Amino acid sequence: MSVTLKPKILFVGYGHLAKSLASNSFLKNFKIDSINSKSRIYSLNRKKIIKKINPPYKYVFLLVRPNLFYQRGTEFNKYIDSKSIIVSCMAGVTINRIQQIINSKNIIRIMPNVMAKQNASHTYIYAKNKKFINSTFHKILKSFGTYHISSKEDEINIATALYGSGPAFIAFLVNAFVAASKNISPNSKLNERDVIHLFQNVISINDNSLKLEKFIQSIASKKGTTQAGVQFLKSQNLKKIMYTTLHRAYKRAKEISIEKQVPK
């Protein structure tokens, strides 16, 4: 009886995002090694340091910061053979820029987020050659959560701002609401979890913008408490603040794609 070997994957870089991608379902179906900035090689499946990398790798995930890739990217060629598919999770670094540094045209760009470990990421994918996004790669993507295959590379920059950085922006807003809730009545024994559940409950019953707008209108009675608060939020132009936040993240992703390599 033949034994089907798990496809081998190498993570180049092992920071927060790399650790969040290593979900149980991902590890169940693939053999994953990682190498960090100190050249420590680690088997994620066996949970132990190993002496050397074990090529060939079917997929090589680039999980380093863009500036490090520009400085040391040529060193990564030793991990790649002619059949390896490079999966870049780097914000802003285009396929053309990757090709200039690494000797391969087998490149996929993806933008997951740190909720992948809980199967809660929404991942954007772009490849010039759609044949690389095969059934094996779909299995990888499903281990992260939901996903969308982009037709234009610039959509990865948008996804970087919205789905890559977006969870941090949302967490910031929720945390600000929690802090304000405590400050409005410092002597009360407010339960943080109840406030956070308030966000979850509102979203769970209003899953689109139209429902959310109707929800606001159903609560905001004329000259009431809700109307007073909502009118203040409108006066502060909260929508513009959120747009500017997302646009700055998007703009930064585009800037990274044209930055010059910094000498070592």
Side-chain angles (χ1 to χ4, degrees):
M1 183 176 178
S2 61
V3 178
T4 303
L5 297 176
K6 293 180 180 180
K8 291 192 295 185
I9 291 175
L10 178 67
F11 284 0
V12 179
Y14 196 55
H16 293 301
L17 181 57
K19 291 173 183 176
S20 71
L21 296 183
S23 64
N24 290 333
S25 60
F26 196 5
L27 292 168
K28 180 180 177 181
N29 295 301
F30 297 88
K31 183 178 178 182
I32 307 174
D33 296 334
S34 70
I35 182 164
N36 67 10
S37 58
K38 297 180 180 179
S39 298
R40 190 192 75 160
I41 307 161
Y42 186 78
S43 168
L44 275 63
N45 301 79
R46 290 185 284 166
K47 298 181 180 180
K48 62 182 290 187
I49 295 173
I50 54 180
K51 293 182 179 180
K52 59 182 181 179
I53 62 170
N54 187 26
Y57 290 101
K58 185 174 182 64
Y59 297 100
V60 176
F61 278 64
L62 300 181
L63 290 152
V64 297
R65 292 180 179 179
N67 62 337
L68 180 62
F69 176 72
Y70 291 148
Q71 291 172 13
R72 297 179 54 187
T74 54
E75 299 174 23
F76 303 160
N77 281 303
K78 60 189 174 187
Y79 308 134
I80 298 161
D81 68 14
S82 60
K83 294 182 179 180
S84 297
I85 296 175
I86 298 162
V87 183
S88 171
C89 300
M90 298 182 295
V93 185
T94 65
I95 286 178
N96 286 342
R97 290 297 300 273
I98 295 169
Q99 287 177 345
Q100 291 170 10
I101 295 171
I102 290 184
N103 299 325
S104 176
K105 292 185 178 180
N106 305 340
I107 302 170
I108 302 172
R109 284 188 68 192
I110 70 171
M111 183 46 61
N113 64 42
V114 294
M115 297 186 290
K117 197 159 193 173
Q118 290 77 35
N119 194 236
S121 173
H122 185 62
T123 303
Y124 265 55
I125 308 99
Y126 176 77
K128 289 183 177 181
N129 188 342
K130 298 297 187 287
K131 291 181 180 178
F132 297 146
I133 309 173
N134 56 22
S135 59
T136 303
F137 198 68
H138 277 279
K139 186 179 289 187
I140 293 173
L141 295 170
K142 286 178 182 178
S143 75
F144 301 156
T146 58
Y147 58 92
H148 170 80
I149 298 173
S150 302
S151 58
K152 297 178 181 179
E153 189 166 11
D154 188 55
E155 290 180 4
I156 297 294
N157 294 326
I158 297 170
T160 299
L162 190 56
Y163 299 110
S165 300
F169 304 150
I170 293 169
F172 186 92
L173 288 171
V174 174
N175 214 24
F177 191 90
V178 171
S181 301
K182 290 179 178 179
N183 291 338
I184 200 168
S185 182
N187 295 325
S188 66
K189 296 181 179 179
L190 187 73
N191 189 322
E192 283 191 3
R193 187 166 293 181
D194 290 340
V195 179
I196 291 172
H197 282 171
L198 180 63
F199 275 83
Q200 294 173 329
N201 294 338
V202 170
I203 296 302
S204 69
I205 63 173
N206 298 285
D207 59 358
N208 62 54
S209 59
L210 182 61
K211 286 183 180 179
L212 286 167
E213 188 60 40
K214 287 182 177 179
F215 184 73
I216 295 167
Q217 292 172 4
S218 72
I219 303 172
S221 57
K222 190 174 182 180
K223 295 185 179 180
T225 58
T226 305
Q227 188 183 66
V230 169
Q231 284 181 341
F232 176 75
L233 289 173
K234 288 180 177 179
S235 73
Q236 299 304 299
N237 211 340
L238 187 59
K239 287 183 180 180
K240 183 178 180 180
I241 291 171
M242 291 311 306
Y243 171 80
T244 304
T245 300
L246 292 171
H247 187 265
R248 287 190 178 183
Y250 166 68
K251 184 180 177 183
R252 179 61 189 137
K254 290 181 71 69
E255 287 172 352
I256 291 170
S257 69
I258 58 174
E259 283 181 349
K260 293 182 179 180
Q261 181 176 341
V262 179
K264 293 181 181 180

